[in-house]
């Protein structure tokens, strides 16, 4: 193992010196020596990709969700933005024009204690309909997932300092499902340009996009504390997964699947399957504002506490049946 890694590192430095490859170019989503299994092993700055216990994405088991009645609806500003849809060799991204502008799009409320400013949208997608999303629900993948990434603008000056800092980021994950036609006009604005960002380095202007209207028509979501799903896997992300998908037409999904990881001269591999495998939850809780309104027997959360501050303790142990 040790020699193998040593060899890889030598190989990589060789590649680096020959082709000028940098770490940010080196990693891939695909299996193999630059794939997710190795992100944290080969670059010491990315150790947390391997050792981290609060990593993303995760599989969401509906029966393990915890209802939090105090969590408000998530708020996202109504303003429209312009930006560039681009292929960076890893993902298809929509980069918002200078997110420091006065009409920057803010995300607040929901599970968030701070105000977060959106910087970009990332699209993960699969080569077949049963692959593509980062997050899975009951073990099932969706054909795509779009992610709005935002940094804590109450505390940090920019994304770069926020991504490595406490409560630095929030990412809203929207699962994408196939339909005869897209039902979301904002997503349509991006989708009709997918064929123009086939190769790495391609970029195309998209004007007048409403992130608010890009969201599916639901206020319910699931939330947990996790990480970025690419190197350096920083554990600074409050994830918010919306509880309803948006829809893409098969035609647009097929144009997305044409995207390549290389440029026109040297297209390399298809970009599809640019998702990270799900990571272990490790005793984290996934909270939701979905009120499962059926009071199944044994499902009520009794308000009685075993401890009463400044009162004589009547029952001295925490009994598990106070949650039954
Ligand atoms: C987002 O918040 C910033 C800082 O408070 C503010 O200047 C900006 O106008 C807000 N954006 C919108 C669209 O309201
Ligand atoms: C981000 O903010 C930090 C702290 O204010 C600053 O030192 C750094 O130069 C900024 N980075 C970028 C890329 O603007
Ligand atoms: C809380 O405890 C009191 C006293 O034991 C009891 O009367 C009441 O029904 C309990 N409430 C709930 C919600 O279990």
């Amino acid at each position: 193992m040790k020699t193998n890694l040593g060899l890889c590192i030598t190989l990589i430095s060789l590649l680096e010196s020959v082709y000028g490859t940098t770490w940010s170019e080196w990693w891939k989503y695909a299996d193999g020596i630059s794939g997710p299994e190795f992100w944290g092993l080969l670059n010491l700055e990315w150790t947390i990709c391997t050792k981290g216990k609060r990593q993303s994405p995760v599989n969401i088991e509906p029966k393990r969700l915890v209802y939090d009645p105090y969590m408000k609806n998530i708020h996202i500003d109504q303003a429209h933005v312009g930006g560039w849809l681009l292929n960076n060799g890893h993902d298809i991204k929509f980069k918002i024009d200078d997110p420091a502008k006065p009409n920057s799009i803010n995300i607040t409320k929901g599970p968030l204690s701070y105000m977060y400013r959106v910087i970009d949208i990332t699209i993960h997608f699969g080569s077949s309909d049963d692959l593509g999303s980062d997050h899975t629900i009951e073990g099932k993948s969706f054909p795509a997932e779009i992610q709005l990434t935002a940094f804590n603008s109450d505390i940090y000056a920019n994304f770069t300092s926020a991504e490595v800092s406490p409560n630095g980021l929030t990412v809203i994950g929207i699962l994408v499902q196939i339909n005869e036609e897209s039902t979301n006009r904002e997503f349509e604005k991006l989708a009709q340009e997918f064929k123009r960002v086939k190769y790495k380095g391609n970029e195309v202007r998209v004007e007048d996009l409403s992130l608010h209207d890009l969201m599916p028509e639901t206020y319910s979501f699931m939330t947990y504390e996790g990480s970025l799903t690419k190197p350096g896997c920083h554990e600074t992300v409050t994830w918010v997964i919306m509880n309803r998908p948006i829809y893409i037409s098969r035609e647009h999904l097929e144009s997305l699947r044409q995207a390549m990881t290389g440029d026109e001269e040297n297209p390399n591999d298809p970009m599809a399957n640019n998702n990270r495998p799900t990571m272990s939850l490790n005793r984290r809780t996934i909270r939701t504002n979905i009120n499962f309104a059926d009071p199944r027997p044994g499902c009520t959360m009794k308000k009685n506490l075993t401890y009463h501050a400044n009162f004589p303790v009547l029952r001295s142990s925490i009994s598990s049946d106070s949650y039954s």
Side-chain angles (χ1 to χ4, degrees), residues 134-145:
D134 263 341
H135 290 85
T136 57
I137 311 269
E138 276 189 306
K140 269 197 62 201
S141 297
F142 285 69
E145 176 172 336

Side-chain angles (χ1 to χ4, degrees), residues 93-320:
K93 257 185 203 290
F94 174 73
K95 266 190 134 67
I96 294 173
D97 291 339
D98 186 8
K101 280 200 317 202
N103 67 344
S104 57
I105 306 299
N106 308 305
I107 302 177
T108 51
K109 305 198 178 135
L112 308 171
S113 310
Y114 299 98
M115 181 188 278
Y116 291 79
R117 183 178 298 161
V118 187
I119 61 151
D120 65 25
I121 298 173
T122 308
I123 304 173
H124 301 267
F125 58 96
S127 54
S128 61
D129 297 355
D130 57 351
L131 288 174
S133 60
D134 263 341
H135 290 85
T136 57
I137 311 269
E138 276 189 306
K140 269 197 62 201
S141 297
F142 285 69
E145 176 172 336
I146 67 178
Q147 297 172 350
L148 278 63
T149 301
F151 74 91
N152 180 335
S153 57
D154 277 342
I155 301 188
Y156 307 110
N158 51 46
F159 174 82
T160 315
S161 36
E163 71 167 334
V164 294
S165 308
N167 304 303
L169 306 178
T170 188
V171 182
I172 298 190
I174 304 171
L175 296 162
V176 180
Q177 194 53 283
I178 305 169
N179 200 17
E180 270 160 43
E181 30 188 289
S182 314
T183 50
N184 184 299
R185 284 190 48 219
E186 303 306 311
F187 189 43
E188 185 85 358
K189 287 179 192 168
L190 297 176
Q192 63 198 12
E193 305 295 352
F194 287 157
K195 51 181 170 306
R196 297 174 64 192
V197 291
K198 177 168 177 182
Y199 299 107
K200 183 178 176 184
N202 289 164
E203 44 183 29
V204 42
R205 279 299 297 173
V206 178
E207 303 294 347
D208 201 31
L209 191 75
S210 162
L211 304 189
H212 180 272
D213 295 345
L214 184 65
M215 303 280 281
E217 282 171 26
T218 181
Y219 291 113
S220 42
F221 59 80
M222 294 150 282
T223 181
Y224 74 98
E225 297 301 318
S227 75
L228 289 174
T229 59
K230 57 164 201 172
C233 311
H234 307 294
E235 294 181 342
T236 52
V237 183
T238 300
W239 277 91
V240 177
I241 310 293
M242 301 310 293
N243 186 39
R244 200 177 272 188
I246 59 172
Y247 295 91
I248 186 174
S249 67
R250 182 161 291 286
E251 184 198 338
H252 284 150
L253 184 59
E254 290 304 334
S255 62
L256 195 53
R257 286 176 178 161
Q258 303 304 310
M260 305 298 290
T261 57
D263 59 23
E264 200 159 356
E265 265 102 77
N266 187 10
N268 294 338
D269 303 314
M271 178 183 283
N273 305 331
N274 59 341
N275 62 294
R276 186 187 193 193
T278 54
M279 307 298 285
S280 169
L281 206 50
N282 292 321
R283 294 181 295 283
R284 281 172 289 176
T285 301
I286 306 183
R287 290 184 297 149
T288 181
N289 66 346
I290 308 165
N291 186 358
F292 297 102
D294 66 320
R296 287 162 291 178
C299 257
T300 54
M301 297 238 283
K302 289 185 183 165
K303 293 267 157 77
N304 282 354
L305 281 181
T306 311
Y307 290 114
H308 293 275
N310 303 323
F311 280 97
V313 177
L314 300 178
R315 289 181 287 166
S316 57
S317 67
I318 302 175
S319 68
S320 61

